[in-house]
Amino acid sequence: MPIEKRWVVKPQGNPEAVAAMAAATGISPVLANLLVQRGIDTLEKAKKFFNPQLSDLHDPFLMKDMDKAVERVERAVRNREKIMVYGDYDVDGTTAVALVYKFLRQIGHKDLLFYIPDRYTEGYGISTKGIDHAARKGATLIIALDCGIKAIEKVDYAKRKGVDFIICDHHLPAEEIPRAVAVLDPKRVDCSYPFDELSGCGVGFKLVQAYAQKNRIPFEQISPLLDLLVVSIASDIVPLVDENRILAHYGLLRLNASPSKGLLSIIKICGLDRHNITIDDIVFKIGPRINAAGRMRMDENDENAAPSGGYAAVNLLIEGNESLAEEFGSVIDGFNQDRKCIDRSVTQEAHDFIEHHPQMKELKSTVIYNPQWMKGIVGIVASRLIETYYRPTVVLTMSNGFVTGSARSVPGFDLYQAVESCADLLENFGGHMYAAGMTMKPENVEMFTKRFNDYVEEHIDPEMLIPQVDIDSELLFSDITPHFRATLARFQPFGPGNTAPVFVTRNVSNRGDARLVGAEREHLKMDLIQGQKPNTVIPAIAFQQPKLYEYVRTGRSIDVCYSVVENHYRGAVFAQLRIKDIKKSNPTAAKD
């Protein structure tokens, strides 16, 4: 049975500040309240929020070591050194590699190669194999993207091989910083860069921006790279505030108006070429296809190209020929189809295992291990299990003689600390509050399971085990006018730090035929009305929420919380409610 969700209405903005904002901007009090809730409480802040400007990007030379990084790249370009662009195998890493590689190619540097480590044989980050490949190919400089901040020994190893490193990372560094030529990471404690929430691709872009700035290359010549950057920003779930909001705004404009050939092929495959692409489209359609390549185990090994699944993704993203890009896009989409099949199969196996072990269902966390599962999809499976059981989850499998796995958390619970409490059982681990990865010897799995479960049992607040819907404010259907929708659209791009507003409307009912749609009749589609005015009828869809279908179809009163979205159908654009949750109305509650 689905877990009943808690609805929590956020504290409302100061009434005087909301009234002043509504008067100054000419927007509705509901939308003015959204601004004030988000800390946008002056007209100047509102202007910057609604009108992101590239001129407000921070000077890239404010980042520690940026001058050293640019000087080293300039020397490599001037002396025609071979440069390897190295990056992680996920969306952030592959887009970062593609972005820097395309820029270097654009400025005329031809002695280039790129490298993506194989998830299965090398794992995350800088590998000895990658460094050896660079040395064998004659590369004297590696630009590492979305990884490297803890690669102290690997950077020293590269130096002994005659290979310099520039590191562009955004993960938390350890106390010791690698002895690279330059280490660009806004999270360094000795870095005074004004914004430390860039994606890995974002840090790579700042290097490109700095090089262009110093060498008097107009920004217009690097702005075509922003389509790759917005894909990274959306897929890596970094906060969409400050610099990320500006970069994402202009990246979406580029993605919609003139995407690179590789991204265009994915856009067409996703069926997104006929409507306005949003952050959600990247998160749920474009990003997973690029990510899927790095998740899949490759059957062949070409020592000249050192291919991995992620390698195929970069080939797609740097391709300038439309027909070749379409071929690469089809290959990437095939990876995604295979990934989805494996994902569904493993998720079902995990569900079956838990259902046949009732004692697991009584715990406040899930740790599940199967040595046969594919390493590349265990993080996805952990997320799927949380959808059902809603508790911190670790999914483990076997890879190269070690047990490796991914962990996911629920809002409010610090997963990293839970994993760190078991550090003595682990060969290595990393991550953050809501996602982590770890590797251990097989003989430690049983003790890790016990200690992780014990830690969660002791530290988790019981309320964290109940799904929560955060609601921005109450709303009447009659408030959802074309002007309201147009203004709401200007709040985009949505993401962490600027989430899509969630509203609640009470005492509404279905008018017409509520119906279950989808391959397994798992989605509830309906037309909702508040009161009797015809203009308050709004179409709505509740994904994965068939539970109240019989109740809703009879026209009885319900409360709904939802986001307002634009639906595109056969050339028409209309408002639709994307329902987050439905509850039966309390008949004794006062009507709005």
Side-chain angles (χ1 to χ4, degrees):
M1 286 290 292
I3 302 171
E4 188 77 12
K5 296 176 181 175
R6 287 185 298 126
W7 293 11
V8 178
V9 179
K10 298 176 184 176
Q12 300 302 285
N14 176 279
E16 291 181 3
V18 170
M21 181 62 70
T25 58
I27 64 176
S28 75
V30 171
L31 297 178
N33 176 67
L34 292 181
L35 290 176
V36 174
Q37 281 178 319
R38 291 160 199 239
I40 304 162
D41 51 7
T42 67
L43 183 58
E44 186 61 31
K45 288 180 183 178
K47 285 179 179 178
K48 285 198 171 190
F49 180 78
F50 284 133
N51 302 287
Q53 298 295 318
L54 290 168
S55 57
D56 287 330
L57 291 177
H58 304 305
D59 180 353
F61 285 99
L62 294 174
M63 196 176 294
K64 176 80 172 176
D65 280 2
M66 185 61 81
D67 52 344
K68 297 176 184 177
V70 171
E71 286 171 8
R72 183 63 184 90
V73 175
E74 286 176 329
R75 175 152 56 91
V77 170
R78 185 170 57 250
N79 296 336
R80 298 180 182 177
E81 297 177 53
K82 179 165 282 188
I83 301 173
M84 174 189 275
V85 187
Y86 187 117
D88 187 25
Y89 38 67
D90 68 1
V91 181
D92 193 14
T94 53
T95 53
V97 167
L99 186 150
V100 172
Y101 186 94
K102 286 177 74 173
F103 173 73
L104 292 171
R105 190 171 62 183
Q106 177 185 322
I107 62 174
H109 192 72
K110 296 178 181 177
D111 216 353
L112 282 171
L113 71 159
F114 64 83
Y115 192 91
I116 305 293
D118 183 84
R119 182 188 291 262
Y120 295 91
T121 61
E122 297 167 82
Y124 168 78
I126 308 299
S127 72
T128 303
K129 181 180 176 182
I131 295 168
D132 289 343
H133 184 72
R136 189 166 59 248
K137 289 292 183 179
T140 51
L141 174 63
I142 293 176
I143 301 175
L145 297 144
D146 191 34
C147 59
I149 193 62
K150 294 183 179 179
I152 295 163
E153 294 177 0
K154 300 291 173 48
V155 168
D156 290 345
Y157 175 78
K159 192 176 293 184
R160 294 195 295 272
K161 288 260 184 179
V163 181
D164 285 341
F165 255 95
I166 293 172
I167 292 170
C168 303
D169 207 346
H170 69 134
H171 296 99
L172 281 170
E175 286 188 20
E176 186 178 356
I177 299 294
R179 289 174 287 276
V181 171
V183 179
L184 307 179
D185 188 335
K187 289 190 174 73
R188 286 180 61 167
V189 293
D190 57 349
C191 179
S192 58
Y193 192 72
F195 183 62
D196 64 359
E197 294 292 349
L198 292 166
S199 65
C201 186
V203 178
F205 181 78
K206 298 307 290 189
L207 173 60
V208 165
Q209 184 190 359
Y211 186 99
Q213 191 172 303
K214 186 176 178 186
N215 289 275
R216 299 183 178 178
I217 299 170
F219 191 91
E220 292 72 24
Q221 290 187 26
I222 64 171
S223 62
L225 300 171
L226 292 176
D227 61 351
L228 289 166
L229 183 48
V230 71
V231 171
S232 140
I233 288 170
S235 301
D236 216 52
I237 323 292
V238 292
L240 270 166
V241 298
D242 199 286
E243 202 161 33
N244 282 340
R245 178 173 173 81
I246 299 169
L247 294 167
H249 172 83
Y250 285 94
L252 283 171
L253 292 177
R254 172 65 58 173
L255 196 63
N256 279 286
S258 183
S260 59
K261 297 295 188 291
L263 286 174
L264 179 61
S265 73
I266 295 293
I267 288 167
K268 288 180 176 178
I269 286 169
C270 297
L272 296 172
D273 51 327
R274 289 184 174 85
H275 82 147
N276 189 58
I277 299 168
T278 65
I279 292 290
D280 270 3
D281 292 323
I282 298 172
V283 171
F284 295 110
K285 296 181 179 180
I286 297 173
R289 283 172 167 81
I290 298 172
N291 231 347
R295 294 185 185 280
M296 304 306 291
R297 183 187 292 276
M298 305 302 287
D299 295 326
E300 299 177 349
N301 184 29
D302 176 354
E303 65 176 11
N304 294 318
S308 66
Y311 200 90
V314 176
N315 270 327
L316 166 74
L317 297 173
I318 65 174
E319 182 53 58
N321 179 283
E322 190 164 344
S323 60
L324 283 175
E326 287 178 355
E327 290 180 24
F328 287 137
S330 295
V331 170
I332 294 293
D333 193 50
F335 285 140
N336 192 50
Q337 296 302 325
D338 293 343
R339 188 273 305 166
K340 286 197 287 189
C341 289
I342 297 168
D343 163 13
R344 282 193 293 265
S345 173
V346 172
T347 299
Q348 188 59 54
E349 288 179 31
H351 275 300
D352 291 344
F353 185 87
I354 293 169
E355 293 302 319
H356 284 93
H357 292 79
Q359 69 276 17
M360 289 186 69
K361 297 173 72 173
E362 301 303 315
L363 300 172
K364 293 180 180 177
S365 58
T366 299
V367 181
I368 188 166
Y369 169 52
N370 185 324
Q372 303 303 316
W373 290 339
M374 193 174 81
K375 177 183 176 183
I377 54 89
V378 292
I380 297 174
V381 174
S383 296
R384 297 276 189 268
L385 293 177
I386 286 178
E387 290 173 8
T388 301
Y389 303 105
Y390 206 75
R391 56 197 187 189
T393 299
V394 182
V395 179
L396 300 167
T397 187
M398 178 73 77
S399 179
N400 296 323
F402 287 91
V403 172
T404 184
S406 288
R408 298 291 184 268
S409 192
V410 295
F413 182 75
D414 194 327
L415 183 75
Y416 185 85
Q417 288 188 2
V419 173
E420 189 177 41
S421 73
C422 306
D424 57 304
L425 300 172
L426 304 175
E427 298 302 300
N428 55 65
F429 67 96
H432 51 78
M433 184 168 179
Y434 293 120
M438 72 288 296
T439 302
M440 69 191 81
K441 294 175 181 176
E443 57 266 31
N444 288 342
V445 170
E446 185 176 349
M447 182 56 69
F448 172 83
T449 301
K450 181 181 185 308
R451 283 185 33 196
F452 182 87
N453 285 332
D454 287 348
Y455 183 94
V456 176
E457 177 77 29
E458 183 179 347
H459 291 88
I460 199 164
D461 185 328
E463 280 204 342
M464 294 177 187
L465 298 170
I466 304 171
Q468 178 172 311
V469 180
D470 291 315
I471 298 165
D472 290 271
S473 69
E474 306 259 347
L475 188 66
L476 300 175
F477 280 0
S478 57
D479 289 332
I480 307 175
T481 63
H483 182 259
F484 178 94
R485 288 162 46 200
T487 306
L488 186 60
R490 296 182 65 197
F491 278 71
Q492 296 190 45
F494 294 129
N498 183 46
T499 54
V502 176
F503 304 105
V504 61
T505 305
R506 306 185 193 279
N507 296 298
V508 304
S509 59
N510 174 64
R511 174 179 174 176
D513 291 331
R515 56 204 181 279
L516 294 175
V517 299
E520 299 177 11
R521 291 168 54 82
E522 68 273 36
H523 312 310
L524 174 57
K525 202 167 187 181
M526 52 200 160
D527 293 324
L528 295 178
I529 185 170
Q530 183 180 34
Q532 300 303 315
K533 296 180 181 179
N535 64 352
T536 62
V537 178
I538 302 183
I541 187 160
F543 292 111
Q544 305 290 340
Q545 296 180 65
K547 60 179 180 176
L548 286 180
Y549 164 63
E550 292 296 340
Y551 185 90
V552 169
R553 67 187 291 267
T554 63
R556 284 180 278 185
S557 186
I558 56 174
D559 300 342
V560 290
C561 56
Y562 56 88
S563 292
V564 181
V565 299
E566 286 192 341
N567 198 12
H568 298 249
Y569 183 70
R570 294 182 178 176
V573 182
F574 55 89
Q576 184 183 55
L577 308 185
R578 187 171 294 168
I579 303 295
K580 305 288 184 184
D581 198 26
I582 308 170
K583 291 185 177 180
K584 298 175 184 178
S585 293
N586 181 352
T588 62
K591 292 192 175 184
D592 297 308

